[in-house]
Amino acid sequence: MVSPVLFAQVAWDEGVCIATAATLSSALYALLTVLALASLLSSTLKSLSSHGKTRSTIADRRFTVPKQRFRDFYIVGFFVTCAVVSLGGDVAATASNRIVFTLVLLHLARRYHECAHVHRSTSSSRMHVAGYALGILHYLCLPFVLVTTKDVTGVTPGDESNHCDFLFILGCIFFQYQQHRHHLLLAKLRAHDRSASDPEYSIPIGGGVRFVSCP
């Protein structure tokens, strides 16, 4: 029979591990943000993060992977998030974290579907292996960055959802729908261009594009 003291110790360790991973992931995200800003000034960093049509040249294909491998990001993120939910103990089981993780899993499943069945990348569309590795690292850290860890220290109860949660859920679902809608719009344009002798890309029309598109 498992001792109640031992069971409490294991649960506490789970919470501490989640909190530690969240702290490290947040520090890593801060570093990645600095690198992203630095890429605006460095052509080398920009070439590592570019992919598809944003890559000006692919001098050596040995250091690139097909752009279709974008789906790997969402596979990794989905299973890591599921692992955090399953093994995170009381921290992952709080009301706020359940909401966040449910929306994250919805996002990851949708993005995988879009990469596998909506996006229309050509065989020549590639991304640098360094950018691919950073993408994998991003989705490894994602659930730890989003988790609310104040519950571990007892600063915030964490079991009660606040009144803003409903608006947060609606907003997240709305913007996920809009992103999916516009991915479908762009994919249809690409399909049309492939069947014609016109240039590979054309100006999209419809949706939110009408607010930013210029003649």
Side-chain angles (χ1 to χ4, degrees), residues 5-209:
V5 176
L6 178 59
F7 181 83
Q9 181 67 31
V10 171
W12 182 83
D13 287 343
E14 288 174 346
V16 171
C17 288
I18 293 293
T20 302
T23 301
L24 293 176
S25 297
S26 298
L28 179 60
Y29 261 60
L31 176 60
L32 293 178
T33 300
V34 172
L35 291 176
L37 294 175
S39 68
L40 299 176
L41 303 176
S42 171
S43 58
T44 300
L45 290 176
K46 186 176 182 179
S47 67
L48 295 180
S49 61
S50 61
H51 56 79
K53 61 181 177 294
T54 62
R55 289 188 62 82
S56 59
T57 181
I58 304 178
D60 194 340
R61 293 174 67 91
R62 292 178 302 173
F63 299 105
T64 63
V65 296
K67 187 183 175 183
Q68 290 92 334
R69 300 301 296 270
F70 251 75
R71 66 186 67 177
D72 296 352
F73 302 155
Y74 309 111
I75 294 174
V76 169
F78 188 89
F79 283 105
V80 171
T81 302
C82 287
V84 172
V85 171
S86 300
L87 305 175
D90 293 337
V91 175
T94 61
S96 58
N97 285 332
R98 285 198 302 268
I99 293 171
V100 169
F101 285 139
T102 299
L103 293 174
V104 168
L105 289 174
L106 174 64
H107 167 76
L108 295 171
R110 176 184 61 81
R111 289 295 295 128
Y112 174 81
H113 168 76
E114 291 171 349
C115 288
H117 303 291
V118 176
H119 294 174
R120 301 178 181 274
S121 300
T122 63
S123 58
S124 61
S125 182
R126 305 182 70 83
M127 56 180 165
H128 198 281
V129 68
Y132 176 78
L134 286 177
I136 294 293
L137 183 61
H138 165 81
Y139 283 98
L140 283 172
C141 297
L142 178 64
F144 299 104
V145 173
L146 296 176
V147 68
T148 301
T149 57
K150 291 183 179 180
D151 313 81
V152 178
T153 62
V155 175
T156 303
D159 290 328
E160 299 294 335
S161 57
N162 58 52
H163 299 294
C164 295
D165 286 345
F166 183 69
L167 293 177
F168 168 75
I169 294 171
L170 287 181
C172 183
I173 293 176
F174 172 77
F175 288 114
Q176 288 208 45
Y177 163 74
Q178 289 297 330
Q179 186 182 41
H180 179 67
R181 175 191 177 195
H182 287 81
H183 282 164
L184 288 174
L185 173 65
L186 296 175
K188 289 177 181 179
L189 288 174
R190 185 66 177 270
H192 170 73
D193 290 338
R194 279 185 170 183
S195 62
S197 58
D198 297 330
E200 191 174 7
Y201 296 98
S202 61
I203 299 176
I205 300 174
V209 177

